[in-house]
Amino acid sequence: MLDVPSPTVVGQEVELTCSFDLNGDTLYSVKWYKDDVEFYRFVPNDWPPGQFLPLSGVRVDLSKSKEQSVYIRTVALETAGVYKCEVSTEAPVFDTVSAKKEMNVYVLPTEGPKITGRHMKYRVGDTVTVNCTSAKSKPAASLAWYINDKKVGADYETVYSTILHDDGLEVSCLSLRFLITSDHFTNGNMRLKCEASIPRVRYTMSDEALVISEQLQHVSGLQIRENLIRDTAAIVATPVRWIHRLLSLLSLVYSLLFVRI
């Protein structure tokens, strides 16, 4: 029984396990192959019993590898491939059995996706056209758009593409295009979110953009001006009231003096 962790992520250490039952026979060797090229063997009668045969993309940790398992350090893109475990018994039987399994290697994005092409303000009736681009990874990240935390439906036009780079990594691009209605704004705001994910390794990152209703900003500006005029009038009115009070007091004092005379 062969166990090859897949997918695995670049930089990790993985253990490949080859479980077997000899049914009373004596083990001669356990040999490991990647894409039919041998890179490790365990022969109990040799010294040392575990031996590594150099192979590009495969770095064996001999201190941890043993009869039924082999450890690979610092997984790289080149580590991906088809692995085979081959078990042989001693004479007089000389039985040999083997099993194969594929290992896929993933490279996770080093940062989240980026939203481009948006404006800070929109009016009802405007058309929004924005783009989302993921960071490089392998495989390419899956992208999804959300408006106010609600995933967009089929009625929004989206165009999906994948770009392959020379280093073997991929970038995903997803555009979003829709006509703004009043329902898209909540308290004058609308939130756009692009989410990038690689489900098999539970990777998720996102980028968000906040846009503002231009109409609400116009109304708010009028309200600010009205409040400013009202507050200014109140400030001006305050000293006028004090002047009236002072004049009344002076009139009262004059009257008292005149009466005494």
Side-chain angles (χ1 to χ4, degrees):
M1 183 180 296
L2 179 60
D3 181 24
V4 176
S6 182
T8 186
V9 176
V10 164
Q12 292 184 341
E13 179 181 274
V14 294
E15 179 186 17
L16 284 60
T17 304
C18 183
S19 302
F20 51 86
D21 184 355
L22 298 177
N23 292 321
D25 292 334
T26 302
L27 177 66
Y28 172 69
S29 69
V30 180
K31 295 182 179 180
W32 287 88
Y33 301 82
K34 174 185 173 290
D35 299 327
D36 294 323
V37 178
E38 185 180 359
F39 66 89
Y40 177 74
R41 64 174 59 179
F42 185 91
V43 181
N45 292 329
D46 286 352
W47 185 257
Q51 301 173 19
F52 169 56
L53 289 73
L55 180 63
S56 177
V58 180
R59 299 177 61 190
V60 174
D61 188 338
L62 290 174
S63 65
K64 294 183 178 180
S65 302
K66 48 191 176 181
E67 181 178 290
Q68 296 195 10
S69 63
V70 58
Y71 273 79
I72 297 178
R73 297 181 294 159
T74 318
V75 169
L77 276 176
E78 296 80 10
T79 312
V82 177
Y83 286 81
K84 181 174 73 171
C85 169
E86 183 182 85
V87 181
S88 300
T89 60
E90 283 276 16
V93 181
F94 293 114
D95 275 342
T96 299
V97 293
S98 64
K100 291 183 178 182
K101 278 193 178 179
E102 185 175 7
M103 177 193 294
N104 294 310
V105 175
Y106 285 6
V107 179
L108 300 184
T110 56
E111 57 184 1
K114 300 297 181 184
I115 296 174
T116 57
R118 73 178 177 97
H119 300 297
M120 288 299 298
K121 297 179 182 179
Y122 289 92
R123 295 177 181 269
V124 172
D126 287 347
T127 298
V128 175
T129 302
V130 288
N131 297 306
C132 179
T133 305
S134 70
K136 293 197 297 184
S137 64
K138 185 178 178 62
S142 298
L143 298 177
W145 277 103
Y146 294 80
I147 301 176
N148 298 325
D149 292 327
K150 183 178 180 181
K151 192 172 183 179
V152 301
D155 51 335
Y156 294 93
E157 179 184 350
T158 57
V159 179
Y160 185 88
S161 61
T162 302
I163 302 171
L164 178 63
H165 289 260
D166 293 338
D167 56 6
L169 303 183
E170 302 171 65
V171 167
S172 299
C173 301
L174 186 65
S175 64
L176 174 67
R177 182 181 173 87
F178 66 96
L179 186 69
I180 294 180
T181 67
S182 58
D183 294 336
H184 287 124
F185 289 109
T186 303
N187 296 325
N189 296 326
M190 173 173 59
R191 289 197 307 114
L192 302 177
K193 182 174 76 170
C194 176
E195 184 178 87
S197 63
I198 303 179
R200 290 198 64 185
V201 288
R202 297 182 180 180
Y203 166 89
T204 302
M205 290 188 74
S206 63
D207 186 24
E208 295 190 15
L210 181 69
V211 298
I212 303 170
S213 169
E214 194 168 351
Q215 288 92 330
L216 181 65
Q217 292 298 300
H218 178 66
V219 172
S220 298
L222 289 176
Q223 290 175 346
I224 291 171
R225 287 195 292 273
E226 291 175 357
N227 292 340
L228 181 60
I229 292 171
R230 185 176 63 251
D231 293 342
T232 302
I235 293 171
V236 172
T238 299
V240 172
R241 289 196 296 271
W242 280 105
I243 292 171
H244 281 295
R245 291 180 181 179
L246 180 60
L247 289 174
S248 298
L249 180 60
L250 289 174
S251 177
L252 178 60
V253 171
Y254 177 79
S255 299
L256 292 173
L257 292 174
F258 180 77
V259 170
R260 289 183 178 181
I261 294 172

